[in-house]
Amino acid sequence: MKYRPAVITAAASVALLAGTPAAGAAEGGLDSLPACTDVSTAYGDYAQRDLKASLEITADELAPGGGWTPAKGTLTNLGRRDLPEVEVRAYPWIQTEDPEYQDMSKFVKVEMRAQDGTWQPVNGTGAVVSTPLPSGQTLAYDLRIRVIKDVPAGFGGSEFNFMGTFADVYHFPDTGKEVECTADAIGYDVFHTPRPSTPKPTPSSARPTPSASQGSSTPTATPTSAHPTASPSTTASASASASASPTSTTSAAPVPVPAPSSADGELAATGGSDATLPLAAAAGGLAVLGAGAVAFARRRRG
């Protein structure tokens, strides 16, 4: 449940439009009467059902320093009796203990359109209009609000109340005594105010580019000069092994070399190879062929 601030309760009535005095009301007007909720505090059974109030702001967000935002307030008499006088108030407020926000009229400005079409400021400290409201009828009010530019950094929005007040009578249930008092009907809406945001520093897009001399932190599959490279003299098996594993770090197998002959003309057991046997046979064949050619030459001379 929303309650009006104390400054509204204690404020004097400032009527812009003349209205019919309430029947039986005190000479000082509605503000001279106690609130019906205060009179019935001991019982807590008071609830008015005659007046209904509503409010609608056309925007949910009001930027500081922005223009006027329209709003519409209405009062409807739901009871069977005419209300000879209804006072209207409109004000922003925040339910907080912070004294900086006790008087929201410093930050939120409100105006109401008068019957002549002009806009009248509403300072939130009293009634802006007082008029009768017959049974079953509705009164509509044009308002506009805006937020000033220089608001506190912590201000994030406010509630906006539109209230109608009329004279009523409370009947004490134990004694039957009647006390004239005032009853309220409150319609409200809320709006938000975007808080100024501090721009974040944009990180620099310039980043150091590693040069060719700098080592890369990510290993690559490209073989380096430290890896073995197959030479032309490498056998077919050695070449195939080197090309199949380019990242291998083992050294290439040495090419077999004929070992020196032993004293009896045979190859050493540790250095011999089957590949030397065809070479020796070929050399012997060439020697026999050479000897035959010499013998043939000598026969022709003889």
Side-chain angles (χ1 to χ4, degrees), residues 1-6 8-9 35 37 48-56 72-76 78 86-93 159-166 182-190:
M1 182 176 180
K2 304 296 180 181
Y3 298 94
R4 59 181 179 177
I8 300 297
T9 305
T37 52
Q48 70 87 14
R49 297 177 178 87
D50 293 321
L51 189 63
K52 177 184 178 181
S54 66
L55 175 72
E56 180 181 0
K72 178 76 70 176
T74 60
L75 292 175
T76 303
L78 302 176
V86 177
E87 290 184 351
V88 179
R89 293 178 173 86
Y91 53 92
W93 75 292
E159 180 177 305
F160 191 82
N161 284 6
F162 180 76
M163 182 174 66
T165 303
F166 65 98
T182 59
D184 299 329
I186 301 177
Y188 68 94
D189 200 354
V190 296

Side-chain angles (χ1 to χ4, degrees), residues 24 62 74 131 157 182 199 210 229 236 259 296:
L62 275 66
T74 60
T131 184
T182 59
T229 303
F296 179 74

Side-chain angles (χ1 to χ4, degrees), residues 215-237:
S216 174
S217 59
T218 304
T220 60
T222 303
T224 61
S225 59
H227 297 162
T229 303
S231 61
S233 60
T234 306
T235 62
S237 60

Side-chain angles (χ1 to χ4, degrees), residues 140-251:
Y141 301 86
D142 293 328
L143 300 101
R144 61 183 187 180
I145 59 178
R146 69 180 182 89
V147 179
I148 67 171
K149 181 179 180 180
D150 299 325
V151 294
F155 181 75
S158 172
E159 180 177 305
F160 191 82
N161 284 6
F162 180 76
M163 182 174 66
T165 303
F166 65 98
D168 202 359
V169 176
Y170 177 73
H171 302 271
F172 283 89
D174 55 346
T175 63
K177 180 182 178 181
E178 296 183 351
V179 176
E180 192 173 16
C181 53
T182 59
D184 299 329
I186 301 177
Y188 68 94
D189 200 354
V190 296
F191 64 87
H192 304 283
T193 300
R195 300 181 182 181
S197 58
T198 304
K200 298 181 180 180
T202 303
S204 176
S205 60
R207 295 182 179 180
T209 302
S211 60
S213 60
Q214 294 177 343
S216 174
S217 59
T218 304
T220 60
T222 303
T224 61
S225 59
H227 297 162
T229 303
S231 61
S233 60
T234 306
T235 62
S237 60
S239 300
S241 176
S243 61
S245 303
T247 57
S248 175
T249 57
T250 59
S251 301

Side-chain angles (χ1 to χ4, degrees), residues 16-153:
L16 298 180
L17 302 177
T20 304
E27 295 182 357
L30 297 180
D31 288 324
S32 64
L33 298 176
C36 293
T37 52
D38 294 338
V39 173
S40 64
T41 299
Y43 302 93
D45 57 349
Y46 176 80
Q48 70 87 14
R49 297 177 178 87
D50 293 321
L51 189 63
K52 177 184 178 181
S54 66
L55 175 72
E56 180 181 0
I57 303 175
T58 58
D60 295 331
E61 185 174 276
L62 275 66
W68 291 101
T69 298
K72 178 76 70 176
T74 60
L75 292 175
T76 303
N77 185 350
L78 302 176
R80 297 181 179 180
R81 56 174 175 156
D82 296 340
L83 301 179
E85 182 181 12
V86 177
E87 290 184 351
V88 179
R89 293 178 173 86
Y91 53 92
W93 75 292
I94 296 178
Q95 188 171 356
T96 177
E97 299 292 335
D98 193 339
E100 186 175 22
Y101 299 113
Q102 294 300 320
D103 183 9
M104 287 295 299
S105 63
K106 298 183 299 182
F107 312 126
V108 182
K109 301 304 178 182
V110 185
E111 291 184 353
M112 178 180 290
R113 190 191 296 274
Q115 285 186 337
D116 60 1
T118 61
W119 290 98
Q120 303 293 334
V122 179
N123 58 13
T125 60
V128 294
V129 65
S130 179
T131 184
L133 183 56
S135 173
Q137 294 191 10
T138 298
L139 295 176
Y141 301 86
D142 293 328
L143 300 101
R144 61 183 187 180
I145 59 178
R146 69 180 182 89
V147 179
I148 67 171
K149 181 179 180 180
D150 299 325
V151 294

